[in-house]
Amino acid sequence: MLKKTRMLAAVAAVAGFALAGSYAVAEPADDDLVIDGTMKMTVRAKPPEGHPLDEVRSGWLYRTEETRALEEDTFQNPGMLYVERGEEIWNTADGKAGKSCASCHGEAAASMKGVGASFPKWDADAKRPINIELRINKCRQENMQAEPYKFDHADQKALTTYIKHQSLGMPVSVDLSQGDMQSWWEKGKETYYTRTGQLNLSCASCHELNNGKYIRADHLSQGNVNGFPTYRLKQANMVSLHNRFRGCIRDTRAEYPKAFTDVLMALEVYVTWRGTGLSVETPAVRQ
Amino acid sequence: MNLSRRQVLTLSASAVAVAATGLGPSVVFADAAATEKSIAAFTGGKSPATGKITLNAPEIAENGNTVPISVSVDSEMTKDSYVQSVMVLAEGNPNPGVITFNFSPMSGEATATTRMRLAKTQNVVAIAKMNDGSVFMDKKLVKVTIGGCGG
Amino acid sequence: MAKPRPRVKLPKTASAGEVITIKTLINHVMESGQRKDKEGKPIPRQIINKFTCEFNGTPVFSCDIEPAISANPYFEFTAKVMESGKFKFSWVDDNGETYTHEQGIQIK
């Protein structure tokens, strides 16, 4: 029964995609994202050199008026509940060393400003790029003598959201000159353009070639990641970037890699770079 | 944008009216009759008139799990003349009941906003009951879509 | 998620007789009772079933809530303020707990 439903869904998806190509072209919203009437976000940016698109756009522009409104007001944005939870975790001691994040880093508003805009970064010890989730786990193990968070643990999502939120409005900028970042960028790019799954789609099939069109009822964005972790109306919860990557790959009807594996870390490096210049929107609100 | 979206919806029937809230096929949905029954219980059997109350809801909900709605009723909101309550119902959910807002003259205005779940494309109904017992109704059809990749 | 924690937004001051807007949000899963777990057993309903707002002890606004209200319930409404005083907000959980929040307002 379930299989049959999935098959139908797959057929519908393909049919919808064809329709999207021929009929449903819709421009992104002609709108400015100003949070609480004071903080203007950059939702359209000039692409970095070598970028395939003419303009880098935030996914916010592809959402309906009602969804966009939720992100414009920090009170109405349900993601802010998780920012508050993250602040609580930041100040709570954990692990054998009896330390909290604040024990070493003090006020996050000062010490974490800019962090969310510049990760992933090269980690010389691990000899690979790491994202904020992995940086938190490194701190927990090395400095707090605490257990690393399991992938998508509620506290991992809340703390990552809190740390990224300290860079709200700052432009995304990954430093590809660190360590071997450039070759990870290349690997990520290869993944981005590789077709996969029973539906034979690459990231580019939807987010580069067809952004602005509809896949069935969904208005396809450029797939930028400047708002992650993102509050998704569908889950009514925070969704981490690697969870979203896995969801997208699953929807091509492919086997999906584990979170934080080389293939997904490389993809994070590359996709983050594609959003260069957009403001960090964490916690963004999406459908 | 809305026009294109509507075209897709018209062309691809599969895109419309599929449960977005993880409800299995065995779930029995409320229907117009159950909704009528709830309305009668609320109004004491009176048929609601049109006017005075406005229900705001999106024409198309981007996700059925979180649909913003608001109600507002034209009333002085004084001790002598005020809106007692507004009941919101959804005809196509497993149960029609959504929420009842209870106002008082101290509310100043009879307006309220919340976010609701819609299992599929359906009518959302709002009925206002005044302190003199008179009742008014507004109704909106909200289309609920599923996402591009298996929802 | 963590224990429900209410958030309330209202102005610190108002003129006598002014109608102010109050926004409230609380983190809660609002388990509808319609879902099943991995073994196919129904997940019992657990929602916030009632919300009330009082001003200096007098009821101003309340809601009777059904499972059709979204997770992390949001309520926005108005109140006419005649005097300085304190708002008290309560959220009643199906599990018997009540979460409350108090916030004052001054007349200019």
Side-chain angles (χ1 to χ4, degrees):
Chain A
M1 182 67 203
L2 191 65
K3 264 193 182 151
K4 201 172 166 188
T5 315
R6 284 221 175 124
M7 279 276 286
L8 286 171
V11 170
V14 172
F17 203 68
L19 279 174
S22 28
Y23 295 98
V25 186
E27 289 305 309
D30 181 17
D31 201 355
D32 285 331
L33 173 54
V34 183
I35 295 179
D36 292 343
T38 54
M39 284 173 284
K40 187 162 192 259
M41 301 289 120
T42 302
V43 290
R44 293 170 186 270
K46 194 175 160 284
E49 207 188 314
H51 198 291
L53 300 169
D54 297 336
E55 186 179 56
V56 177
R57 295 187 200 116
S58 163
W60 182 80
L61 292 167
Y62 295 81
R63 306 281 50 94
T64 60
E65 195 183 337
E66 293 83 14
T67 309
R68 293 204 305 276
L70 290 177
E71 198 180 320
E72 282 172 312
D73 178 352
T74 49
F75 190 86
Q76 287 197 51
N77 182 346
M80 292 304 290
L81 290 164
Y82 302 81
V83 170
E84 285 183 1
R85 171 66 188 140
E87 184 175 14
E88 207 172 69
I89 298 165
W90 178 268
N91 290 307
T92 306
D94 195 7
K96 291 193 190 102
K99 285 182 188 170
S100 68
C101 307
S103 310
C104 296
H105 300 287
E107 290 287 329
S111 64
M112 293 296 121
K113 196 176 165 74
V115 167
S118 58
F119 267 77
K121 277 187 174 171
W122 185 253
D123 181 43
D125 301 329
K127 296 187 177 58
R128 68 195 292 263
I130 57 169
N131 56 14
I132 292 176
E133 286 92 334
L134 293 176
R135 188 68 192 82
I136 292 170
N137 275 350
K138 192 175 172 182
C139 236
R140 286 179 63 81
Q141 286 176 285
E142 291 177 5
N143 304 322
M144 297 166 74
Q145 293 170 39
E147 287 293 312
Y149 289 129
K150 288 206 172 87
F151 171 58
D152 266 357
H153 186 285
D155 286 357
Q156 177 180 65
K157 288 196 284 183
L159 189 55
T160 306
T161 303
Y162 176 65
I163 290 171
K164 269 203 90 171
H165 181 66
Q166 307 308 317
S167 303
L168 183 71
M170 295 178 71
V172 169
S173 167
V174 221
D175 184 358
L176 295 175
S177 68
Q178 307 167 337
D180 207 10
M181 286 289 273
Q182 191 60 43
S183 72
W184 283 74
W185 180 93
E186 300 284 350
K187 264 192 271 180
K189 184 178 177 184
E190 195 185 317
T191 301
Y192 191 89
Y193 288 100
T194 304
R195 287 176 177 269
T196 177
Q198 289 173 331
L199 298 186
N200 201 30
L201 297 170
S202 69
C203 306
S205 310
C206 289
H207 298 292
E208 182 172 313
L209 299 171
N210 284 294
N211 79 76
K213 296 177 187 165
Y214 283 90
I215 183 161
R216 292 199 291 171
D218 224 355
H219 195 196
L220 286 167
S221 74
Q222 292 182 350
N224 286 317
V225 300
N226 53 308
F228 278 91
T230 284
Y231 188 87
R232 277 194 95 200
L233 303 180
K234 180 184 166 191
Q235 281 88 357
N237 204 333
M238 297 309 294
V239 172
S240 67
L241 178 56
H242 285 239
N243 182 306
R244 192 71 198 90
F245 278 158
R246 284 154 48 105
C248 243
I249 297 167
R250 179 203 59 213
D251 292 344
T252 69
R253 321 291 161 200
E255 294 277 340
Y256 50 84
K258 283 203 163 119
F260 312 139
T261 46
D262 288 358
V263 60
L264 291 189
M265 271 315 305
L267 191 60
E268 180 171 352
V269 170
Y270 179 70
V271 175
T272 306
W273 170 84
R274 284 180 73 106
T276 298
L278 294 175
S279 294
V280 172
E281 288 178 33
T282 310
V285 182
R286 301 290 185 259
Q287 78 288 20
Chain B
M1 175 180 150
N2 278 341
L3 187 68
S4 319
R5 179 162 252 185
R6 210 171 296 135
Q7 283 172 327
V8 175
L9 289 168
T10 318
L11 289 163
S12 172
S14 65
V16 199
V18 181
T21 44
L23 300 164
S26 62
V27 170
V28 178
F29 289 99
D31 54 22
T35 309
E36 287 302 318
K37 220 170 139 183
S38 301
I39 295 174
F42 180 71
T43 65
K46 273 188 205 164
S47 326
T50 52
K52 281 201 188 265
I53 181 167
T54 308
L55 168 68
N56 282 308
E59 188 185 346
I60 298 170
E62 203 156 28
N63 194 289
N65 259 346
T66 316
V67 184
I69 56 152
S70 66
V71 295
S72 72
V73 190
D74 184 14
S75 161
E76 291 172 16
M77 295 306 274
T78 58
K79 276 203 170 66
D80 298 327
S81 170
Y82 66 96
V83 182
Q84 257 176 7
S85 40
V86 172
M87 183 170 71
V88 181
L89 299 164
E91 285 179 358
N93 273 0
N95 296 300
V98 176
I99 194 163
T100 303
F101 300 113
N102 304 301
F103 299 97
S104 73
M106 278 180 72
S107 297
E109 289 170 14
T111 62
T113 301
T114 189
R115 300 168 189 158
M116 65 175 293
R117 293 168 169 153
L118 286 170
K120 57 177 182 176
T121 295
Q122 57 184 284
N123 282 320
V124 179
V125 181
I127 306 115
K129 183 158 67 180
M130 309 304 194
N131 65 322
D132 66 2
S134 58
V135 283
F136 299 89
M137 183 169 101
D138 193 16
K139 192 189 268 198
K140 286 270 149 68
L141 176 71
V142 182
K143 286 176 183 156
V144 176
T145 64
I146 57 165
C149 307
Chain C
M1 196 175 164
K3 187 177 155 55
R5 205 188 350 215
R7 295 179 90 209
V8 172
K9 189 178 182 185
L10 58 90
K12 286 190 178 73
T13 60
S15 322
E18 190 180 337
V19 177
I20 61 159
T21 297
I22 300 174
K23 297 175 178 181
T24 73
L25 186 66
I26 191 165
N27 53 314
H28 197 284
V29 291
M30 297 292 281
E31 190 60 58
S32 68
Q34 298 286 342
R35 299 198 310 160
K36 288 175 178 166
D37 65 14
K38 278 176 191 157
E39 277 101 54
K41 286 190 217 125
I43 304 172
R45 177 187 128 152
Q46 196 200 331
I47 66 165
I48 298 284
N49 58 58
K50 178 102 187 161
F51 167 78
T52 59
C53 165
E54 299 174 358
F55 184 68
N56 291 343
T58 309
V60 175
F61 173 84
S62 69
C63 313
D64 303 306
I65 303 158
E66 303 287 339
I69 291 298
S70 306
N72 302 324
Y74 175 79
F75 306 115
E76 183 180 321
F77 52 95
T78 56
K80 190 173 186 173
V81 202
M82 303 304 291
E83 54 184 343
S84 297
K86 200 174 263 181
F87 282 100
K88 184 181 177 186
F89 307 91
S90 307
W91 291 257
V92 182
D93 195 311
D94 273 350
N95 70 5
E97 279 199 67
T98 299
Y99 317 107
T100 58
H101 178 86
E102 291 188 3
Q103 203 159 319
I105 189 163
Q106 292 293 320
I107 294 299
K108 285 190 253 198

